[in-house]
Amino acid sequence: MKTVIDSTRAGKLNWREILNYTGLFRYLSLRDVLVRYKQTWAGLLWAIIRPLIQIVIFGFLNLIIQKNADYKNAFLFVSSGVIMWQLISTAITDISNSLVSNSNILTKVYFPKILLPASSLLVCLIDFAIAFVIFVVMFLILKGAPGWEILFLPLVLIYAIVFCFAVGMLFATMNVKYRDVKFVLPFILQIAFYISPVFLTTGFYLERNVPEILKDIYMLNPLVTILDGFRFCFFGGEAIHSVPLFLGSVGITLLLLIFSVRYFLRFEKTFADFI
Amino acid sequence: MSSPIIKVEGISKKYNLLHKDGGTSDSLIESASRWARSLVSREKTHESREEFWALRDVSFEIQPGDRVGIIGRNGAGKSTLLKILSRIVLPTSGRIEYDGRMASLLEVGTGFHGDLSGRENIYLNGSILGMSKKEIDRKFDEIIDFAEVEKFLDTPVKRYSSGMYVRLAFAVAAHLEPEILIVDEVLAVGDAAFQKKCLGKMREVSGGGRTILFVSHNMAAIQNLCDKCVYLKNGQLVDYGKSELIIPQYLQSTNATSSVDLSNRPDRMGNGKLRYKSFQILDKNKQATEHAMCGSPLYIDLDVDGAAGANLSYVRLSVAFDDDYGNRITHMGNDITNQLFEKLPAGPNKIRITIPKLPLKGGEYTVTLFAEVNGEIADWIQEATLLKVEAGDFYNTGKLPESSQGSFYMEHSFERIS
């Protein structure tokens, strides 16, 4: 096995090499899982408690603002939004910290750096899976089996994962050089939360008396398509308000993924110099 | 000769030093404003970027099974070279080719997580260092045996003593079996009582035909472990070859300007009839040097100036060494050796102290100089300079007691007499 080191800066996605490091990937992820709730009293229960608290808070807000009379439906609606939002926000935050928080490894050992954001994502998915299972059980109890729309669930989840990974990688790479990310990202996420249909319906946003152009921009927001898509799988109804804008938001996500991964690879080999 | 396992061709590494606030990781605003300013004015912004070549055009080849020491003073580029070889930093130019699996040990316990148990950390650290799960499974018992932590396997390592922590960390590393092993000064950190065992283990590892690259300041360890040496100075390769040839060259390399000028020291006491002007150490060949070598002869040249017109009778001179903690290690004085200078001429005098075999451990010692003329203190400089001592082969056996076992070496021998 011959290895060549030269001064070429741009990296490539070397799948064969990444496959050689599956063991490391497993232990990095395992570490993150084990460490996440270490020395907490509630332990893994936090994966349920955190979304639950949010569901209660935003459930109330939903009832107050949207005056939904159907409590059961409102509860399930807000729950679906909150668990998906938890996945998105924690995944983006954790991925964007993944390189910096592992700088001790990054500066001492060689490995494909993409393992770090990938394992952060995996850990967030485990949290999501726990909350998701509980949501499904509640859904089955309160509303019964979902319709044929549930078949789209895998697609929606892949879409969400791709989006989180793309945004997370972008911030992760920036974070290596500019720690400003640590301060900026929470605000970005907060704004994103309020302009996305997490606890209010898309209809509620679209019925506001605002210029059409803002509504179009709103529909281009990948978060809107992810959240609406996720709900479509369970509640059915209208998933796509406008086909071109829907395609636009998917396109934005894909472009973002390509850009982020290339940006990441461009700097991958020099992380140790800057971190 | 077989084909080399590592081929290093013209490796250079340049760093840009930013002279303003020095940080490499400037904030977004700063780089944005620098960019904006560069748009407006064509002249250079006032912070200057200085180029610093940590390595410059370094080339060498290593044969399979070679154990190569990388030596040089601080800042010579040793660590940079290791980091480039381990693919952690990118060279600015040049090319390296190597064959086989390489593991680098730039630190013991890379990736250790305080909240994880010893068992979990063995697997995590092992996989970070490039071991597969099967490999770790196979060596698990050996690792915990080596580290002597069986009882604490399920305790989070943050509760470990620092000694246990380092032992466990090194135990994992010592059981790596790559074709090429890169080791940076890891033996210098932590538990001293563990060093001998580690050195032994590493020799055992390299005995299996493995190629080792080893950086250390400890010449005894290098001499002991490495058959070849790469000698770096200011980022450039000075020489590469057999250890026996390179190590003396390195030790003698220090420029003759290492004499310590004491003429303008304000922090001195005494009536000034006699003043120390300079302090200079010489190696066994009476060549000026910066580093004293443990186990070798050492000469100290002192320049003392007698004030014009002063009556320099009964001159007592003494030199004392203190360790890092301020403990007085030893004291040398010409009154004790019955060599008082009954009369010294005014003006410059050169005094030489001869130490036939330096018994001090490797390390740094503070030197205090004292002079008395006719019963009165003439000059007294505390912490006049540092004496740097290289760990050397005091007993000519390639072995030294563990560093926790006392602070100097004493010649001795054992024999059965009845």
Side-chain angles (χ1 to χ4, degrees):
Chain A
M1 187 183 69
K2 215 164 191 95
T3 313
V4 174
I5 304 170
D6 58 23
S7 51
T8 324
R9 256 182 77 152
K12 278 196 298 256
L13 266 190
N14 185 344
W15 290 105
R16 270 220 352 238
E17 188 186 33
I18 291 172
L19 284 177
N20 279 334
Y21 279 89
T22 45
L24 177 57
F25 177 71
R26 203 168 49 221
Y27 285 110
L28 284 175
S29 313
L30 188 65
R31 174 198 65 177
D32 290 343
V33 172
L34 289 173
V35 165
R36 198 176 182 89
Y37 299 111
K38 267 270 157 88
Q39 221 171 22
T40 59
W41 171 80
L44 205 57
L45 273 180
W46 278 113
I48 304 162
I49 299 171
R50 284 203 306 171
L52 204 63
I53 293 169
Q54 290 212 322
I55 289 167
V56 171
I57 296 169
F58 294 112
F60 270 113
L61 281 178
N62 175 279
L63 291 179
I64 293 164
I65 296 171
Q66 293 209 298
K67 301 186 175 60
N68 198 333
D70 185 350
Y71 293 115
K72 267 199 243 166
N73 236 342
F75 169 72
L76 288 174
F77 174 86
V78 172
S79 301
S80 64
V82 164
I83 64 168
M84 183 45 95
W85 173 257
Q86 282 259 316
L87 169 66
I88 292 166
S89 65
T90 52
I92 290 176
T93 310
D94 288 4
I95 292 173
S96 67
N97 282 326
S98 59
L99 297 174
V100 172
S101 62
N102 284 297
S103 62
N104 59 334
I105 306 178
L106 218 78
T107 52
K108 300 291 180 210
V109 180
Y110 172 82
F111 61 95
K113 314 285 183 285
I114 204 158
L115 297 187
L116 293 172
S119 80
S120 288
L121 178 66
L122 185 71
V123 175
C124 293
L125 283 172
I126 293 173
D127 265 11
F128 172 75
I130 296 167
F132 181 75
V133 166
I134 301 205
F135 169 74
V136 170
V137 171
M138 306 246 252
F139 191 91
L140 292 177
I141 294 170
L142 294 176
K143 221 172 155 130
W148 58 270
E149 294 92 343
I150 197 72
L151 295 175
F152 282 94
L153 188 65
L155 268 183
V156 173
L157 289 180
I158 289 170
Y159 183 24
I161 289 167
V162 166
F163 178 76
C164 294
F165 197 64
V167 178
M169 288 275 275
L170 183 70
F171 283 119
T173 311
M174 280 167 74
N175 206 2
V176 169
K177 221 180 157 183
Y178 305 108
R179 297 293 149 81
D180 310 59
V181 166
K182 182 171 61 185
F183 301 105
V184 174
L185 189 59
F187 292 113
I188 296 178
L189 286 173
Q190 203 167 22
I191 294 166
F193 177 83
Y194 286 109
I195 62 169
S196 307
V198 180
F199 67 97
L200 298 171
T201 60
T202 296
F204 179 82
Y205 285 94
L206 293 180
E207 283 156 18
R208 298 301 97 188
N209 190 13
V210 289
E212 280 304 308
I213 180 78
L214 282 183
K215 291 182 185 172
D216 288 352
I217 292 172
Y218 178 81
M219 298 301 299
L220 276 175
N221 175 1
L223 288 169
V224 174
T225 30
I226 291 169
L227 285 160
D228 279 353
F230 186 57
R231 289 195 175 115
F232 167 76
C233 298
F234 286 93
F235 302 97
E238 189 187 19
I240 299 167
H241 296 265
S242 143
V243 174
L245 291 178
F246 171 78
L247 291 178
S249 94
V250 176
I252 287 172
T253 305
L254 291 178
L255 282 178
L256 200 61
L257 178 70
I258 294 167
F259 176 79
S260 295
V261 172
R262 290 185 62 151
Y263 179 56
F264 177 88
L265 292 174
R266 167 119 174 64
F267 289 104
E268 181 182 12
K269 288 191 193 168
T270 53
F271 282 159
D273 281 340
F274 289 108
I275 207 153
Chain B
M1 205 182 231
S2 57
S3 65
I5 187 163
I6 306 175
K7 227 159 96 186
V8 176
E9 293 167 5
I11 284 292
S12 298
K13 175 73 185 176
K14 181 179 79 178
Y15 285 105
N16 286 318
L17 305 177
L18 186 68
H19 287 298
K20 211 187 105 223
D21 52 358
T24 42
S25 160
D26 35 20
S27 74
L28 199 57
I29 293 285
E30 273 173 59
S31 41
S33 70
R34 196 176 322 119
W35 176 76
R37 260 179 286 152
S38 72
L39 285 183
V40 184
S41 64
R42 302 192 91 215
E43 61 194 294
K44 276 188 180 162
T45 48
H46 26 262
E47 81 267 290
S48 59
R49 271 174 190 277
E50 189 192 319
E51 287 183 355
F52 169 71
W53 291 88
L55 280 179
R56 205 148 201 184
D57 203 23
V58 171
S59 308
F60 56 90
E61 287 181 358
I62 292 175
Q63 303 298 323
D66 278 358
R67 289 164 290 161
V68 180
I70 300 178
I71 57 178
R73 303 255 173 256
N74 285 331
K78 303 180 302 271
S79 296
T80 309
L81 180 61
L82 288 202
K83 284 195 167 181
I84 291 174
L85 278 165
S86 343
R87 290 204 282 167
I88 293 160
V89 300
L90 198 62
T92 308
S93 61
R95 185 184 158 89
I96 296 173
E97 259 178 51
Y98 65 83
D99 224 341
R101 206 159 72 121
M102 178 187 279
S104 50
L105 204 54
L106 301 195
E107 171 192 68
V108 285
T110 303
F112 259 43
H113 200 292
D115 279 322
L116 298 179
S117 69
R119 182 192 309 276
E120 288 159 346
N121 269 309
I122 290 176
Y123 279 93
L124 177 63
N125 184 234
S127 68
I128 285 173
L129 294 174
M131 291 160 111
S132 68
K133 183 176 182 302
K134 250 192 254 156
E135 235 177 302
I136 305 172
D137 283 341
R138 190 153 45 80
K139 295 190 183 142
F140 191 82
D141 292 335
E142 234 180 291
I143 291 175
I144 51 173
D145 243 28
F146 191 82
E148 303 160 20
V149 293
E150 303 81 331
K151 269 194 276 175
F152 307 97
L153 259 190
D154 296 302
T155 311
V157 298
K158 66 179 174 189
R159 310 239 183 277
Y160 278 31
S161 73
S162 55
M164 282 160 65
Y165 187 96
V166 174
R167 281 208 304 274
L168 180 65
F170 199 91
V172 181
H175 288 83
L176 276 173
E177 280 185 352
E179 280 88 23
I180 306 168
L181 180 63
I182 295 183
V183 187
D184 194 3
E185 205 97 65
V186 282
L187 296 177
V189 287
D191 200 324
F194 200 57
Q195 288 193 358
K196 213 170 71 187
K197 203 168 164 187
C198 296
L199 274 174
K201 184 75 198 175
M202 284 177 69
R203 213 172 312 119
E204 197 185 305
V205 167
S206 59
R210 226 153 271 119
T211 309
I212 290 194
L213 275 92
F214 181 47
V215 162
S216 181
H217 280 109
N218 182 345
M219 285 303 125
I222 295 253
Q223 218 155 17
N224 218 342
L225 195 71
C226 305
D227 37 32
K228 282 183 179 173
C229 276
V230 169
Y231 173 20
L232 294 175
K233 190 175 182 181
N234 299 329
Q236 281 168 321
L237 183 77
V238 178
D239 209 349
Y240 172 47
K242 288 233 155 58
S243 299
E244 307 94 84
L245 301 174
I246 305 292
I247 293 177
Q249 198 185 332
Y250 161 71
L251 291 174
Q252 285 163 17
S253 68
T254 48
N255 35 8
T257 59
S258 57
S259 136
V260 183
D261 184 11
L262 299 166
S263 38
N264 297 319
R265 284 284 289 248
D267 54 333
R268 62 204 313 163
M269 287 179 272
N271 60 21
K273 283 189 180 168
L274 193 73
R275 285 272 189 239
Y276 283 102
K277 290 291 169 193
S278 74
F279 174 93
Q280 166 76 66
I281 57 173
L282 309 175
D283 66 10
K284 60 179 177 201
N285 302 319
K286 303 207 172 82
Q287 296 298 309
T289 179
E290 263 181 357
H291 292 237
M293 183 80 176
C294 166
S296 291
L298 177 72
Y299 304 94
I300 301 175
D301 279 5
L302 299 165
D303 283 317
V304 290
D305 260 20
N311 175 23
L312 302 173
S313 55
Y314 300 105
V315 176
R316 176 160 88 88
L317 302 177
S318 70
V319 177
F321 298 148
D322 293 350
D323 70 8
D324 285 346
Y325 305 101
N327 299 319
R328 178 74 23 114
I329 298 299
T330 189
H331 169 99
M332 301 175 285
N334 62 346
D335 52 333
I336 296 158
T337 57
N338 279 339
Q339 292 168 314
L340 276 186
F341 298 109
E342 280 183 31
K343 186 81 185 166
L344 282 182
N349 294 275
K350 201 178 215 38
I351 313 291
R352 174 167 291 174
I353 304 174
T354 302
I355 301 162
K357 189 170 182 185
L358 184 68
L360 296 179
K361 273 197 332 190
E364 292 191 340
Y365 299 85
T366 4
V367 178
T368 295
L369 300 173
F370 181 85
E372 205 179 79
V373 176
N374 212 0
E376 288 172 9
I377 298 174
D379 199 11
W380 185 6
I381 315 176
Q382 301 198 31
E383 296 179 22
T385 178
L386 274 182
L387 176 75
K388 295 173 192 150
V389 179
E390 297 274 351
D393 193 6
F394 185 85
Y395 297 105
N396 289 320
T397 57
K399 291 175 198 160
L400 290 173
E402 286 157 8
S403 61
S404 60
Q405 300 292 328
S407 47
F408 67 95
Y409 305 123
M410 187 156 60
E411 290 213 76
H412 63 276
S413 62
F414 284 75
E415 61 182 320
R416 186 184 141 81
I417 51 165
S418 64

